[in-house]
Amino acid sequence: MTPTLQRWFPILQWGSYYNRSLLSADGVAAVVVTLMLIPQSLAYAQLAGMPAQAGLYASMAPLVLYALMGSSATLAVGPAAVTSLMTAASVGAVVQQGSVAYVEAALMLALISGALMLLMGAGSLGFLANFLSHPVISGFVSASGLIIAASQIKHLLGIKLQGDNLYQMIPQLWQQLPSFHGPTTLMGLCALGLLLLMRLQIKPFLKRVGVSHSTADLISKAAPVSVLLLSIGLSALWHLSEQGVRVVGAVPQGLPPLTLPGQSSNNSASRWAEQWSLAQVLFMPALLISLVGFVESVSVGQSLAAKRRERIDPDAELRALGLSNLGAGLTGGFPVTGGFSRSVVNFDAGARTPAAGILTAFGLAFAALFLTPWLFHLPQATLAATIIVAVLTLVDFNVFARTWRYAKADFIALFLTFSLTLVVGVEAGLIAGVAASVVLLLYRTSRPHIAVVGQVPGTEHYRNVLRHKVIVQSAILGLRVDESLYFANARFLEDTIAAQVAMRPGLKHVILQCSAINDIDASALESLEIVNTRLIAADVKLHLSEVKGPVQDRLQRSQLLTELSGQVFLTHHQAVQSLM
Amino acid sequence: MTPTLQRWFPILQWGSYYNRSLLSADGVAAVVVTLMLIPQSLAYAQLAGMPAQAGLYASMAPLVLYALMGSSATLAVGPAAVTSLMTAASVGAVVQQGSVAYVEAALMLALISGALMLLMGAGSLGFLANFLSHPVISGFVSASGLIIAASQIKHLLGIKLQGDNLYQMIPQLWQQLPSFHGPTTLMGLCALGLLLLMRLQIKPFLKRVGVSHSTADLISKAAPVSVLLLSIGLSALWHLSEQGVRVVGAVPQGLPPLTLPGQSSNNSASRWAEQWSLAQVLFMPALLISLVGFVESVSVGQSLAAKRRERIDPDAELRALGLSNLGAGLTGGFPVTGGFSRSVVNFDAGARTPAAGILTAFGLAFAALFLTPWLFHLPQATLAATIIVAVLTLVDFNVFARTWRYAKADFIALFLTFSLTLVVGVEAGLIAGVAASVVLLLYRTSRPHIAVVGQVPGTEHYRNVLRHKVIVQSAILGLRVDESLYFANARFLEDTIAAQVAMRPGLKHVILQCSAINDIDASALESLEIVNTRLIAADVKLHLSEVKGPVQDRLQRSQLLTELSGQVFLTHHQAVQSLM
């Protein structure tokens, strides 16, 4: 067993054997990831409705903090597409985008989300992520991809669009489309075309000219930087900003600032009241962002770890992500998570330890210190194109047909999440999906298989009367429940026994064969007590047979066994023999 | 199989053989129940914050309508303690008690609740009531009993108290206690003492003087009427209302009016907008009232039916309760359900068919037409005493110790529901309880038992390596999952396999023994696909053994079996033999 301190701070493990060869591997990975992260950070800041520098800030402190507590060697933490969209949707619902209050609310969101993740990690509550079933996540991510792409159309065409869902955006788009801004649209579409071309053609091309598979992969991942440079060059050369093309503009040069909640307001009393009410409004969005971010991060981390037969610790991941988000909230960022593409690039580029993340943070710090003036002329349309190309991979329509074929209940959850996310918004979609999963789960388990059993002639076996030729006694009813008994199916058991007894006028004994019952919760216990009482009133005795050890132990702590009108038998056959 | 029309309208079944002997039995029961219902209806109207006549109205149309569609022969529908409290809490949160708008909102609540129950019944959604696990219901009902008793203290002592929870009421009570109204308090405490005495002593006394057990029971149930009559007499004789004792006052004489939503306002456009926004606010409370009312009703109905070896149909009950609530909403009532005490009295008094309910409705119509002037002098303190005595039976503290001993998880749900209902309110308590049950369910099932299995020497059996001396191969890992795979435990399976594989450097094959897996949902399928992919990357093959028929059928409709790196074996032994 790893000591607690090392479990909480995995850096104490890998730090103890860190050496020059690991450093050089991590250094190479850091250079590649930095090149990839500069455009991505700016783009996700734009998606989240934050100023450009917030994207860079959100990729620095979180990377360093993750390295202290994270259990994945290669996960790269920072702004990600879906969490950035969720940030924009939840903060935009409270504060007007573009204001100081908006930035502060995003910081608050990161802080709450970080605190929640730390708490969940400390309390081993990672199982809460199980509420997000696979169909819900698929539907949510696909719909989010579409909304993200739609939200960037305004930057791509230089028009104005508002809204968090397609229901709000499509009519506006229809109205605004004719008034697109020529130069912006040209720049946007060219960037989009170039990026798509790179994504589709650069790898095959590089392979044809003899570049190795993994190098080709890395070059294609870092290629968006060239589009970025090209756009900046053209924009500066042709003074596009003077022609109405919206550019990133002045980005403050320097390292991340220390940002505390509510620091912009002066009056300290009203400040705390305001911050508190803001925190209450942002609680639910922060919880959803935490769960979605955690699921994304753990899936990526686990996939990468498995390739090297390593493993990650979900609770450690929660704590590390929590710390990263607290860091993001305190240094001018916004909610972060372990991103898919950046982590894969980090892995492929040969990162060996989380030190690669620390080195990447240095790379980004260098960019924030010295490269930000160069970003002035970067057209927002180019960033929009970067986002659109990135999120296209999120949208997966095959999952609909696959899930429909496989399981109708899962399809309902998938479709509900997808359509509500698109039409109403990210929060509504996610909550409805979770609710649907839970309702469908209860529906599935509320009617367990309950078989009437009879004796297979010449044996001591008792089997389902519908499937086998068996002997039954008219005064004895044998029932086998093929499921643990708990609140979702307790009443069904009551109903079934009531129905079976009502059909059999001469009945004297009911024997419940408990061979498949692994647990009986308090609701089911109550139901069994009710069944016992009702059967006494109807002059029928209730017996149990083949009760498992742990269930028997638990029942000993209740009144059922003393109040039971019948007996508890070791085997069903003994029960039938002694009651015949 | 019963034809659909007769299943929907059970009156067509029992109506066809209805005769004079059934009529006389039902008639006797109706008289007893009417005597019991007059004080109870008035008391629950007071509890719900409604005018006295609303209590009578809510016991007429619903009883008749229930008789058309209800499947229980003896259930008596009308206002009940807990649903009346929930009505007061939810309507009181929207409109000031005592206003016309309050009455209209209560009618709306009954209409929505009725519509929801009809829909749930038509769609066989009765399983939704399973969300209310037994600990949640116990905690909720006990706390409701305490709140109801506390809410009546103001009437008992003639003071002013507001609030829906003890947190609001206790400090006020502390403040107001010294200013109690003498004559009111005297009347209230005497009525309370008399009712308690009757409840505790009348049955033993009657039995001692030779009255039969069941007759004694009925007399003790109808006895509150005598306290009512005595109070009215004394109040009229001593002109208590002139001394500041609050009395019921003028109750309109006549049959229930037809009440349509929003009929009190004049402007029809704003009327519908108002009604619509009111309906939205009341939706959640109506859903909770429907579920609670349904659970109460079905439990009572099923208990009584079982005594005569009859049974009830939960979906028919939902439809009948839905119709009853629509009736209550359209005839000046408020939400109703099958009450416990009145149904038991109806049963004990010999009711044989729902016609007893129709006759009871006639009895109450007689009361509404001719007896209401007599109610003028009835002190509210007497009604408060009636309510307090009635709800004392709801409070059960033993359940805490019992549940704690039996299962800690259930205790958490119980305690949370109880304390939040008391301190925050009925809705918060119920919702928190349901949420806690679902979270605890997910927690319990998120870590299924997964055993590493090995061969029992000399046999073809494979058992848990921790419990048995078995043979294992270092290149083969056999895992048996003792639970169906679904979204709550899918990720745990991923984690477990990753951990087991990470521990075994020489591993070549993983065999999943699926003998205990009854279902694999889309989330678990995805996890298996991910496990398969990750194991391929780690150069380990994944095999399945002993897959059940239905699971195999379902997997055929997915990609898993074609993408599986290993094979599917009929038995675990075959798998090990061919991979060794």
Side-chain angles (χ1 to χ4, degrees):
Chain A
M1 201 63 199
T2 326
T4 308
L5 195 67
Q6 299 200 3
R7 223 159 21 84
W8 277 62
F9 296 96
I11 192 173
L12 298 176
Q13 295 169 49
W14 60 263
S16 66
Y17 56 78
Y18 202 73
N19 57 28
R20 188 177 295 188
S21 94
L22 288 173
L23 178 65
S24 75
D26 288 342
V28 172
V31 171
V32 180
V33 175
T34 304
L35 282 179
M36 178 200 182
L37 276 195
I38 294 173
Q40 219 182 62
S41 301
L42 299 173
Y44 289 146
Q46 174 169 311
L47 174 57
M50 297 290 284
Q53 66 273 20
L56 296 174
Y57 299 163
S59 304
M60 283 185 250
L63 272 171
V64 176
L65 292 169
Y66 179 84
L68 300 180
M69 295 184 83
S71 64
S72 161
T74 46
L75 196 75
V77 172
V82 175
T83 51
S84 298
L85 171 70
M86 291 175 83
T87 301
S90 56
V91 177
V94 190
V95 203
Q96 179 67 36
Q97 201 170 310
S99 63
V100 176
Y102 184 95
V103 173
E104 289 201 340
L107 295 174
M108 171 74 87
L109 191 66
L111 289 179
I112 302 173
S113 166
L116 282 174
M117 286 172 139
L118 265 179
L119 284 177
M120 289 195 282
S124 294
L125 298 179
F127 77 92
L128 286 176
N130 290 341
F131 273 101
L132 301 175
S133 67
H134 181 71
V136 168
I137 295 174
S138 304
F140 179 70
V141 166
S142 283
S144 295
L146 291 175
I147 294 181
I148 292 171
S151 76
Q152 296 307 307
I153 290 178
K154 63 179 174 204
H155 297 296
L156 204 67
L157 305 181
I159 59 179
K160 286 197 175 167
L161 276 186
Q162 285 188 321
D164 303 323
N165 58 51
L166 294 192
Y167 177 74
Q168 293 166 346
M169 286 194 278
I170 285 177
Q172 292 181 52
L173 183 61
W174 184 250
Q175 242 179 355
Q176 302 275 334
L177 204 55
S179 59
F180 70 94
H181 184 251
T184 304
T185 308
L186 194 66
M187 176 56 89
L189 292 183
C190 286
L192 190 62
L194 214 52
L195 285 167
L196 282 176
L197 196 72
M198 281 177 170
R199 163 151 302 203
L200 298 174
Q201 297 296 334
I202 207 166
K203 256 201 284 189
F205 171 79
L206 288 172
K207 274 190 219 161
R208 243 176 302 149
V209 300
V211 179
S212 80
H213 177 84
S214 62
T215 318
D217 219 43
L218 286 179
I219 293 178
S220 79
K221 289 277 166 51
V225 167
S226 64
V227 178
L228 203 75
L229 293 175
L230 193 65
S231 304
I232 292 174
L234 293 178
S235 167
L237 201 65
W238 294 337
H239 302 286
L240 288 184
S241 68
E242 287 163 26
Q243 293 171 44
V245 173
R246 301 193 64 177
V247 296
V248 167
V251 177
Q253 225 168 329
L255 293 175
L258 181 68
T259 47
L260 296 171
Q263 62 183 3
S264 78
S265 68
N266 299 314
N267 181 326
S268 73
S270 79
R271 176 168 103 187
W272 289 113
E274 266 171 35
Q275 294 298 312
W276 175 240
S277 71
L278 180 63
Q280 285 180 307
V281 174
L282 292 179
F283 181 83
M284 193 66 198
L287 180 64
L288 293 178
I289 290 178
S290 302
L291 290 180
V292 169
F294 173 56
V295 169
E296 175 171 1
S297 204
V298 162
S299 324
V300 179
Q302 225 153 21
S303 297
L304 297 179
K307 289 191 188 179
R308 293 185 185 156
R309 290 210 186 187
E310 295 164 352
R311 67 183 295 251
I312 62 168
D313 169 0
D315 286 328
E317 287 304 289
L318 263 174
R319 296 190 294 258
L321 288 173
L323 192 67
S324 302
N325 273 295
L326 284 182
L330 291 172
T331 59
F334 52 97
V336 295
T337 187
F340 180 73
S341 54
R342 64 184 62 185
S343 302
V344 172
V345 168
N346 196 32
F347 182 94
D348 289 345
R352 300 284 295 278
T353 72
I358 300 179
L359 297 171
T360 307
F362 280 116
L364 287 165
F366 178 82
L369 281 171
F370 305 111
L371 305 183
T372 47
W374 299 82
L375 296 174
F376 184 95
H377 289 288
L378 174 59
Q380 292 185 348
T382 305
L383 288 180
T386 313
I387 295 174
I388 291 174
V389 173
V391 298
L392 284 183
T393 54
L394 299 181
V395 183
D396 172 15
F397 288 117
N398 291 329
V399 75
F400 286 89
R402 224 162 50 224
T403 309
W404 172 259
R405 226 174 24 243
Y406 187 71
K408 302 292 175 283
D410 284 307
F411 179 82
I412 294 173
L414 169 67
F415 184 77
L416 197 70
T417 314
F418 178 79
S419 50
L420 281 180
T421 304
L422 271 192
V423 177
V424 184
V426 284
E427 270 181 58
L430 211 47
I431 291 173
V434 169
S437 304
V438 173
V439 169
L440 290 167
L441 165 66
L442 237 71
Y443 179 71
R444 273 207 305 269
T445 55
S446 68
R447 300 174 156 265
H449 184 235
I450 299 183
V452 176
V453 294
Q455 184 182 19
V456 180
T459 73
E460 299 189 356
H461 285 295
Y462 286 75
R463 302 297 287 272
N464 192 340
V465 295
L466 300 178
R467 288 175 189 252
H468 303 272
K469 289 213 163 157
V470 291
I471 306 166
V472 288
Q473 316 287 334
S474 67
I476 301 176
L477 170 64
L479 288 175
R480 191 190 70 225
V481 186
D482 286 344
E483 187 87 62
S484 290
L485 295 176
Y486 73 110
F487 67 84
N489 57 32
R491 260 183 284 268
F492 180 70
L493 178 73
E494 288 179 40
D495 291 349
T496 308
I497 293 180
Q500 292 288 349
V501 171
M503 284 196 298
R504 292 176 171 76
L507 196 67
K508 291 283 166 212
H509 302 280
V510 172
I511 314 168
L512 225 55
Q513 189 182 9
C514 305
S515 48
I517 297 175
N518 293 314
D519 193 19
I520 295 179
D521 81 351
S523 301
L525 174 72
E526 175 77 13
S527 287
L528 286 176
E529 285 172 348
I530 289 173
V531 165
N532 182 46
T533 315
R534 286 183 190 157
L535 288 182
I536 290 173
D539 206 21
V540 175
K541 285 188 172 152
L542 177 67
H543 310 268
L544 305 178
S545 75
E546 303 182 12
V547 181
K548 291 189 176 183
V551 176
Q552 174 89 20
D553 291 349
R554 177 164 266 197
L555 289 180
Q556 297 286 8
R557 301 202 302 271
S558 77
Q559 295 289 314
L560 181 68
L561 297 186
T562 54
E563 286 168 3
L564 197 68
S565 57
Q567 297 164 255
V568 181
F569 293 96
L570 206 61
T571 73
H572 199 77
H573 185 62
Q574 284 177 8
V576 174
Q577 286 297 309
S578 72
L579 299 174
M580 231 160 57
Chain B
M1 202 62 201
T2 325
T4 308
L5 195 66
Q6 300 200 1
R7 220 153 31 79
W8 278 61
F9 296 94
I11 193 173
L12 298 176
Q13 295 170 51
W14 59 264
S16 66
Y17 56 77
Y18 201 71
N19 58 28
R20 189 178 295 190
S21 94
L22 288 172
L23 178 65
S24 76
D26 288 342
V28 171
V31 171
V32 179
V33 175
T34 304
L35 281 180
M36 178 201 184
L37 276 195
I38 294 173
Q40 218 181 62
S41 301
L42 299 173
Y44 289 147
Q46 174 169 312
L47 174 57
M50 298 289 286
Q53 66 273 18
L56 296 175
Y57 298 163
S59 302
M60 284 185 248
L63 272 171
V64 176
L65 292 169
Y66 178 83
L68 300 179
M69 295 184 85
S71 64
S72 162
T74 47
L75 197 75
V77 172
V82 175
T83 51
S84 298
L85 171 70
M86 291 175 83
T87 301
S90 56
V91 177
V94 189
V95 202
Q96 179 68 36
Q97 202 169 310
S99 63
V100 176
Y102 184 93
V103 174
E104 289 202 339
L107 295 173
M108 171 74 89
L109 190 67
L111 288 177
I112 302 173
S113 167
L116 282 173
M117 285 173 140
L118 265 179
L119 284 177
M120 287 195 284
S124 294
L125 298 179
F127 76 91
L128 286 176
N130 291 341
F131 273 102
L132 301 176
S133 68
H134 180 71
V136 169
I137 294 174
S138 303
F140 180 69
V141 167
S142 282
S144 296
L146 290 175
I147 293 180
I148 292 171
S151 76
Q152 296 306 309
I153 290 179
K154 63 178 174 206
H155 297 295
L156 204 66
L157 307 182
I159 59 178
K160 286 197 174 168
L161 276 184
Q162 284 189 319
D164 302 324
N165 57 50
L166 294 192
Y167 179 73
Q168 292 166 348
M169 286 193 277
I170 285 177
Q172 292 181 53
L173 184 61
W174 184 249
Q175 246 179 352
Q176 303 275 333
L177 203 55
S179 60
F180 70 93
H181 184 251
T184 304
T185 308
L186 193 66
M187 175 57 90
L189 293 183
C190 286
L192 191 63
L194 213 52
L195 286 167
L196 282 176
L197 196 73
M198 283 178 169
R199 164 150 303 203
L200 298 175
Q201 297 297 334
I202 207 166
K203 255 201 284 186
F205 171 77
L206 287 173
K207 272 190 223 161
R208 244 177 301 144
V209 299
V211 179
S212 80
H213 178 84
S214 63
T215 317
D217 220 43
L218 286 179
I219 293 179
S220 79
K221 290 278 165 52
V225 167
S226 63
V227 177
L228 202 75
L229 293 176
L230 192 66
S231 304
I232 293 174
L234 294 177
S235 168
L237 200 67
W238 295 338
H239 302 286
L240 289 182
S241 69
E242 287 162 26
Q243 293 171 46
V245 173
R246 300 193 65 178
V247 295
V248 167
V251 178
Q253 226 170 327
L255 292 175
L258 181 68
T259 48
L260 295 172
Q263 62 184 4
S264 78
S265 69
N266 299 314
N267 181 325
S268 73
S270 79
R271 177 168 102 188
W272 289 113
E274 266 171 33
Q275 294 297 313
W276 175 240
S277 71
L278 181 63
Q280 285 179 307
V281 175
L282 293 178
F283 180 83
M284 193 66 197
L287 180 63
L288 293 179
I289 289 178
S290 303
L291 290 179
V292 169
F294 173 57
V295 169
E296 177 172 359
S297 206
V298 162
S299 323
V300 180
Q302 225 153 21
S303 296
L304 297 179
K307 289 190 188 178
R308 295 188 185 153
R309 289 207 189 190
E310 295 164 355
R311 66 184 297 252
I312 62 168
D313 170 1
D315 287 328
E317 288 304 290
L318 263 174
R319 297 189 294 259
L321 288 174
L323 193 67
S324 302
N325 272 295
L326 285 182
L330 291 172
T331 61
F334 54 96
V336 295
T337 187
F340 179 73
S341 54
R342 63 184 64 187
S343 302
V344 171
V345 169
N346 196 32
F347 182 92
D348 289 345
R352 300 285 296 278
T353 73
I358 300 179
L359 296 172
T360 307
F362 279 116
L364 287 164
F366 178 82
L369 281 172
F370 304 110
L371 305 183
T372 46
W374 299 83
L375 297 173
F376 185 94
H377 288 287
L378 174 61
Q380 292 184 350
T382 305
L383 288 180
T386 313
I387 296 175
I388 291 174
V389 173
V391 298
L392 283 184
T393 55
L394 298 181
V395 183
D396 172 16
F397 287 118
N398 291 329
V399 74
F400 286 90
R402 225 161 51 223
T403 310
W404 171 260
R405 226 172 25 242
Y406 187 72
K408 301 292 175 284
D410 284 306
F411 180 81
I412 295 174
L414 168 68
F415 183 77
L416 198 70
T417 313
F418 178 79
S419 50
L420 282 180
T421 305
L422 271 192
V423 177
V424 184
V426 283
E427 268 181 59
L430 210 48
I431 291 174
V434 169
S437 304
V438 172
V439 168
L440 289 167
L441 165 67
L442 237 73
Y443 179 71
R444 274 207 306 270
T445 55
S446 67
R447 300 173 157 266
H449 184 236
I450 299 183
V452 176
V453 294
Q455 186 182 17
V456 180
T459 73
E460 297 190 356
H461 284 296
Y462 286 74
R463 302 296 289 271
N464 192 338
V465 296
L466 300 177
R467 289 177 188 251
H468 302 271
K469 288 212 162 158
V470 292
I471 308 165
V472 290
Q473 315 288 333
S474 67
I476 300 175
L477 169 64
L479 288 175
R480 191 191 71 226
V481 187
D482 286 343
E483 187 87 63
S484 290
L485 296 175
Y486 74 109
F487 66 85
N489 57 32
R491 260 183 286 267
F492 180 72
L493 179 73
E494 287 179 42
D495 290 350
T496 307
I497 294 181
Q500 292 288 350
V501 172
M503 284 195 300
R504 293 174 170 77
L507 195 67
K508 291 281 168 215
H509 302 280
V510 172
I511 314 169
L512 225 53
Q513 190 182 5
C514 305
S515 47
I517 298 175
N518 294 314
D519 192 21
I520 295 178
D521 80 351
S523 301
L525 174 73
E526 175 78 14
S527 287
L528 286 176
E529 285 172 349
I530 290 172
V531 166
N532 182 45
T533 314
R534 286 182 190 157
L535 289 181
I536 291 173
D539 206 20
V540 175
K541 285 188 172 153
L542 176 67
H543 311 267
L544 305 179
S545 75
E546 303 181 13
V547 181
K548 289 189 178 184
V551 175
Q552 174 89 20
D553 291 349
R554 177 164 266 196
L555 290 179
Q556 297 286 9
R557 302 203 300 271
S558 77
Q559 296 288 313
L560 181 67
L561 297 186
T562 54
E563 286 167 2
L564 196 68
S565 57
Q567 295 164 255
V568 180
F569 294 95
L570 205 61
T571 72
H572 198 77
H573 186 62
Q574 285 177 6
V576 174
Q577 286 297 310
S578 73
L579 298 174
M580 229 161 55

